[in-house]
């Protein structure tokens, strides 16, 4: 079966800074091997992407190395409220961190979030890591500034209920959910080794998970985003396990499984994994680009066979059905029968 190339609006590719976890080669090969022909990368690299020189450097680092199309989100900080808007055409969005997570980008105070929401052009996306009360805070600011806002990796019933209510009032709020929150709850923590289950937002309850599936059925969720956040096993198994799961190579098969079980239609999957991310992030449609999947093939998750450099998966050993066979990007076959064609690196920056 043929589907359009998938778009992931939320990945962490670690280049520059932590290329032993992932880099532009391995991260975009991992994307292709998951059926993604476009990924939008988060700015919590080292250094973080917060100004024109760090943005130029990352674009330079990516150029020519990249297997799929890509965009870069820039981060809001305490110091760049007046300067970062100048980057709005070169970036795929402005990311605001309202909670602690990997990296040091959490914003120190509502007044800074307020300034960013006011200064960033209202026709360009703002994405927020905003859990629990913080989700309410960003919705309020979006109302005050009469602008849209995109809430990342919604994982709790209380958050999706709020987003549903805001949309009923006509607010331009969009949101994404991750496959790990759709397929795992905190009751899975025991079966994943201690430390490996650390992810931000954390795994939540079955009632939270049911609310996310209901919101997918009701059209309240706009996108599936992997929040692909690779860290090595050594790091995950250490005492200070950094939060994050790799997800690019498992999300399509997980979602195809949900289609087979009747949890959503194939059309809805295409909306969530392609058309809605393209619309929200203003991406031109990818011409002559498609993927081919075998809906029947069964396979077992073995992270040792993945392209991602991090070498593990929270879904290790899961039996999945539905497998990617081929990826064609602008009329060129770039993935075929389990192999990323490594010599072809025709990925383009979507904001150039
Ligand atoms: O689990 C997470 N990992 N959540 C985030 O917000 C950041 C990410 C990372 O960069 O590792
Ligand atoms: Zn986040
Ligand atoms: Zn993230």
């Amino acid at each position: 079966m043929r589907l359009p190339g998938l778009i992931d609006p939320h990945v962490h590719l670690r280049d520059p800074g932590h290329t032993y976890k992932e880099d532009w080669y391995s991260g975009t090969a991992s994307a292709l091997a998951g059926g993604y022909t476009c990924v939008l990368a988060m700015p919590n690299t080292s250094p973080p992407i917060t100004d024109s020189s760090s943005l130029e450097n990352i674009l330079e680092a990516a150029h020519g190395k990249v297997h799929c199309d890509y965009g870069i989100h820039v981060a809001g900080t305490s110091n760049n409220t007046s300067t970062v808007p100048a980057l709005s055409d070169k970036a795929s969005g402005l990311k605001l961190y309202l909670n602690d997570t990997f990296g040091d980008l959490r914003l120190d105070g509502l007044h800074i979030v307020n300034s960013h929401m006011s200064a960033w052009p209202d026709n360009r996306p703002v994405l927020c890591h905003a859990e629990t009360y913080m989700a309410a805070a960003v919705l309020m600011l979006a109302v005050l500034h009469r602008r849209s806002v995109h809430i990342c990796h919604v994982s709790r019933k209380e958050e999706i209920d709020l987003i549903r209510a805001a949309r009923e009032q006509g607010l331009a709020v969009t949101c994404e959910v991750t496959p790990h929150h759709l397929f795992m709850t905190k009751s899975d923590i025991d079966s994943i080794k201690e430390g490996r289950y650390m992810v931000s937002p954390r795994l939540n309850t079955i009632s939270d998970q049911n609310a996310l599936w209901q919101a997918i059925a009701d059209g309240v969720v706009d996108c599936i985003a992997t929040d692909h956040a690779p860290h090595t096993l050594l790091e995950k198994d250490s005492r200070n396990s950094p939060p994050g799961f790799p997800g690019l190579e498992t999300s399509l098969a997980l979602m195809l499984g949900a289609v087979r079980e009747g949890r959503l239609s194939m059309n809805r999957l295409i909306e969530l994994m392609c058309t809605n991310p393209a619309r929200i992030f203003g991406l031109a449609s990818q011409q002559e680009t498609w993927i081919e999947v075998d809906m029947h093939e069964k396979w077992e998750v073995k992270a040792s066979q993945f392209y991602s450099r991090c070498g593990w998966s929270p879904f290790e050993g899961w039996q999945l059905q539905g497998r990617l066979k081929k990826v064609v990007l602008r009329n060129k076959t770039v993935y075929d029968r389990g192999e990323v064609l490594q010599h072809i690196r025709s990925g383009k920056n979507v904001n150039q």
Side-chain angles (χ1 to χ4, degrees), residues 99-169:
N99 302 96
D100 275 324
T101 184
F102 185 67
D104 299 319
L105 289 168
R106 188 176 63 91
L107 292 170
D108 225 5
L110 196 53
H111 58 294
I112 298 166
V113 186
N114 189 37
S115 302
H116 278 297
M117 290 270 220
S118 155
W120 188 254
D122 46 2
N123 60 350
R124 302 292 298 144
V126 168
L127 307 87
C128 294
H129 182 135
E131 301 182 42
T132 67
Y133 295 99
M134 293 302 184
V138 298
L139 287 177
M140 182 65 193
L141 294 176
V143 170
L144 292 178
H145 295 294
R146 296 196 179 86
R147 62 158 311 129
S148 64
V149 67
H150 179 80
I151 303 198
C152 296
H153 43 48
V154 176
S155 70
R156 295 173 180 87
K157 181 176 185 320
E158 66 192 44
E159 295 159 359
I160 202 72
D161 284 350
L162 200 66
I163 291 168
R164 180 191 298 268
R167 282 161 80 116
E168 281 166 11
Q169 298 292 321

Side-chain angles (χ1 to χ4, degrees), residues 10 12 14 21 42 44 95 97 99-103 129 131 153 180 198-202 227-231 236 242-245:
H10 188 151
H12 300 265
R14 313 301 189 203
K21 300 177 197 253
M42 284 294 163
N44 63 336
K95 177 74 185 279
Y97 288 90
N99 302 96
D100 275 324
T101 184
F102 185 67
H129 182 135
E131 301 182 42
H153 43 48
H180 50 270
M198 293 289 291
V199 66
S200 172
R202 66 181 184 214
D227 196 6
H228 178 78
H231 299 283
K236 292 299 285 183
F245 291 167

Side-chain angles (χ1 to χ4, degrees), residues 26-196:
S26 63
T28 57
S30 179
L32 279 193
Y36 289 95
T37 51
C38 179
V39 293
L40 304 182
M42 284 294 163
N44 63 336
T45 46
S46 186
I49 313 306
T50 57
D51 57 18
S52 64
S53 79
S54 50
L55 182 59
E56 291 308 325
N57 286 345
I58 195 172
L59 292 174
E60 180 69 22
H63 187 75
K65 285 190 191 166
V66 174
H67 295 286
C68 67
D69 288 356
Y70 61 100
I72 312 282
H73 300 307
V74 291
T77 68
S78 319
N79 305 320
N80 72 1
T81 49
S82 58
T83 50
V84 79
L87 306 178
S88 65
D89 288 340
K90 291 187 189 158
S92 41
L94 174 71
K95 177 74 185 279
L96 302 178
Y97 288 90
L98 283 85
N99 302 96
D100 275 324
T101 184
F102 185 67
D104 299 319
L105 289 168
R106 188 176 63 91
L107 292 170
D108 225 5
L110 196 53
H111 58 294
I112 298 166
V113 186
N114 189 37
S115 302
H116 278 297
M117 290 270 220
S118 155
W120 188 254
D122 46 2
N123 60 350
R124 302 292 298 144
V126 168
L127 307 87
C128 294
H129 182 135
E131 301 182 42
T132 67
Y133 295 99
M134 293 302 184
V138 298
L139 287 177
M140 182 65 193
L141 294 176
V143 170
L144 292 178
H145 295 294
R146 296 196 179 86
R147 62 158 311 129
S148 64
V149 67
H150 179 80
I151 303 198
C152 296
H153 43 48
V154 176
S155 70
R156 295 173 180 87
K157 181 176 185 320
E158 66 192 44
E159 295 159 359
I160 202 72
D161 284 350
L162 200 66
I163 291 168
R164 180 191 298 268
R167 282 161 80 116
E168 281 166 11
Q169 298 292 321
L171 234 85
V173 53
T174 56
C175 70
E176 59 184 43
V177 299
T178 72
H180 50 270
H181 292 115
L182 288 171
F183 289 90
M184 287 178 162
T185 63
K186 61 186 192 181
S187 67
D188 290 296
I189 288 175
D190 292 341
S191 60
I192 318 172
K193 222 170 140 187
E194 205 195 334
R196 293 191 193 178

Side-chain angles (χ1 to χ4, degrees), residues 12-14 19-23 25-34 228-232 245-250 302-313 340 342:
H12 300 265
L13 298 187
R14 313 301 189 203
T19 50
Y20 65 93
K21 300 177 197 253
E22 200 79 285
D23 67 7
Y25 292 111
S26 63
T28 57
S30 179
L32 279 193
H228 178 78
H231 299 283
T232 64
F245 291 167
L248 282 166
E249 289 167 81
T250 41
K302 290 186 187 140
S304 61
Q305 297 172 350
F306 285 171
Y307 281 88
S308 171
R309 189 159 289 158
C310 73
W312 78 285
S313 166
V340 171
Q342 296 278 3

